[in-house]
Every structure is written in C-alpha cells, then in structure tokens.
Amino acid sequence: MHELLPNFIEAPATAPARHATELAAGLLSRPARVSPKHLYDPLGCRLFEAITELPEYAATRTEAAILAAHGDHIVRALGTGMTLVDLGAGNCAKAASLFDLLRPARYVAVDIAAGFIRDALQALQLRHPALPMTGVALDFSQELALPEALGGGPRLMFYPGSSIGNFEPAHARRFLRQAREQCQGGALLIGVDLVKPLAQLLPAYDDALGVTAAFNRNLLLNVNRQLGSDFDPADWAHLACFDADASRIEMHLRALRAVRVRWDGQQRDFAAGDTIHTENSYKYRIEQFDALLHAAGWSDTRCWTDAEQGFAVFGAKA
Ligand code: AVJ
C-alpha cells in the first residue's frame, strides 16, 4: 500500500545544547535579550495564529488579499513548476493556498517548530496526494543552509508574513543573499510590512485582548523548558514600542518587581523595571526594500501592494 507520509528531515543544527548556551548568554547580557525564535513553541505557534486574527493585526490578512488579487501577475512574473520552499511554514496554510496558482513540482516546508509542521504537512499531503512534500526542521535564524537532499530544479523561495522584519537590515541582506544562492536559478516571493502611522503600528503589537502580551510572556515558559530556568510569567509585563530612527517595533518584557532567575548553577538578578528584549520587527519603505533585494543580488524585482500601502509582496528572480 502506498502511504501518504511526507518525508521529514531534522537538521542537526537544532541541537538543544546550542540553544541553551545562546539563551544563557542572552540572559546574562545587559540589557538581557532572547531571540524571537523562542516565541514559537507549540503554544506560541497557536498564540501567533490567534494574533493573525486580531482586528489590530492586519499584516496577515492584507498579505493574503494582495496574493489573491495579484495572483495572475505573480505567476506571470515568476513562472510555475518550481520547488516551493516555504521558509517558516508554520501551519503551511499560506503556501497551500498558492498551490493552484504556482503549480509547484514539489513542496518543501521549513520551520524551527518541528512538531507543528510535521502535523500540518501530514494533513496537507492527504489533500494533495500527487504533490511530493518534504518537511525540514531547521533553525535558519543565523544561517540559511538547506539540506542537500531536497532535489534539483529551480526553487521558489517563499518567505511570507514579514518574518524578514525580525532581522537587522544587514542580517536581512545576508539572509536574502543566501536564499538566492540556494534557489538554483529560481525566484523569490516575500512579504514585507511597510512603515505606517504609529496609531496603526503600535496596537498591532499591543492589542486590546492581550493576545500579543500572552505571546510575548509565553516565551518565558519556553525558555524555562529549554534552559531549566525558573521564570514566573506573572513577574513580567509586555512592552511594545516603535523606534522611529531604526524603523522597527520592539517587544520587551519588563520586570514588575525585583526578580532572581536561576538555571544550571547560574543566575541573573533583575531590578523592577529591567527589561528583556524579545523581538524587533522592522518596517520598510517600498524603495528601501527594493534596494535591499538588489543589494542581495536579486533582479527583475516586482512589488504588489494594497490600496493603503500597508503591506508589500515582492517578487524577484535569481
Ligand atoms: C511573524 C515576525 C512577522 O513581527 O509582526 C506578531 C511576529 N510579533 N506580533 C511580526 C509578531 C508580535 C510577526 N512576525
């Protein structure tokens, strides 16, 4: 019997020891910081899905509307039949909604959340039995190094949702360059959140229901699990602000009282008001991001946006 199980590659670089060393170093630095990748444990993935449904968080909806409205132009610009490499696939829903349009030869879902994509991919394979699928559990926050065993042919590198906004611009350029080097002569389709008035930007990261606050504070529970630390989320408040010079939203956790955190023979004392920096979310202007794509070696760039120019989808060729 033919079993519809997508094959799965667990990249060795996701080793827990490396996470622990990196986490400890971040917690001991001043001010303390934790990489936003630690927001995405199973509960964090679900909280992020909830964020995308908030009235204040328009990015995901706007991106979907742009992709739906300009699908014809996008295929004409990029072509069909490539391997669709979904970077940060999550629940795989965005990429799956493009299968009809892009008619990929193969689907590769890449995400740091191994269990999450394993489940999503198995469900998706049943709905698309003829499309070869591969799951790759990979932390590409430092380096994009796709495993060798993904097969030949041009790849469409798909990086939606403005996840590129988590990288410092110089790091974003390096990442985009690595994506180009690994696309085997293919193309790029990427979503980017644009600069907009503060009155829209801030509530998207500090919503009335407190879902983003829960998403941010849940990082501490994940850190406890990874590091064996004893954070109590009740000691920490969610903080979101916009740094206009850097053009980025920042998320922090702020200690509500003096807190001592211990792990593995180490400790860090926080005074009331001390912060842990958990995320940057850069907002771009269209010309700025276009220039970044060219600086990373991409050409034939195209951009599709919504009427308010709140979000942009860029296409480019290798
Ligand atoms: C998934 C990185 C694009 O920056 O908007 C949402 C994550 N953080 N709310 C973003 C996030 C707080 C999101 N990205």
Side-chain angles (χ1 to χ4, degrees), residues 27-38:
L27 287 178
L28 292 171
S29 60
R30 283 166 198 276
R33 54 181 154 73
V34 173
S35 162
K37 70 187 175 197
H38 298 291

Side-chain angles (χ1 to χ4, degrees), residues 92-140:
C92 306
K94 278 183 201 174
S97 73
L98 295 175
F99 286 171
D100 283 347
L101 188 73
L102 298 171
R103 285 177 280 129
R106 168 179 291 277
Y107 175 56
V108 178
V110 186
D111 205 291
I112 189 175
F116 207 71
I117 45 164
R118 197 186 289 269
D119 295 351
L121 214 54
Q122 271 174 27
L124 198 61
Q125 183 74 86
L126 295 174
R127 286 196 280 127
H128 300 272
L131 179 62
M133 295 185 183
T134 306
V136 180
L138 175 70
D139 172 10
F140 55 80

Side-chain angles (χ1 to χ4, degrees), residues 219-293:
L219 169 136
L220 297 173
L221 296 181
N222 191 21
V223 170
N224 283 349
R225 247 176 282 116
Q226 308 252 358
L227 193 61
S229 51
D230 59 355
F231 277 105
D232 181 350
D235 290 333
W236 299 84
H238 168 64
L239 193 75
C241 55
F242 185 65
D243 179 334
D245 294 328
S247 192
R248 69 186 194 200
I249 287 277
E250 297 180 5
M251 290 208 314
H252 303 265
L253 291 160
R254 187 170 44 82
L256 292 168
R257 53 193 73 88
V259 173
R260 169 166 292 173
V261 180
R262 299 169 204 267
W263 70 93
D264 193 28
Q266 301 184 72
Q267 66 182 46
R268 168 77 194 260
D269 287 314
F270 294 92
D274 280 357
T275 56
I276 305 173
H277 189 173
T278 55
E279 185 176 49
N280 290 323
S281 187
Y282 281 85
K283 308 300 168 187
Y284 285 91
R285 284 180 293 106
I286 287 175
E287 320 75 64
Q288 234 178 2
F289 197 79
D290 190 68
L292 191 63
L293 287 174

Side-chain angles (χ1 to χ4, degrees), residues 39-40 48 51 57 59 160-166 193 204-205 212 215 251 279-283:
L39 292 162
Y40 300 95
F48 179 68
I51 287 173
Y57 193 83
S162 199
S163 293
I164 191 75
N166 273 166
D193 204 13
Y205 293 85
T212 307
F215 175 65
M251 290 208 314
E279 185 176 49
N280 290 323
S281 187
Y282 281 85
K283 308 300 168 187

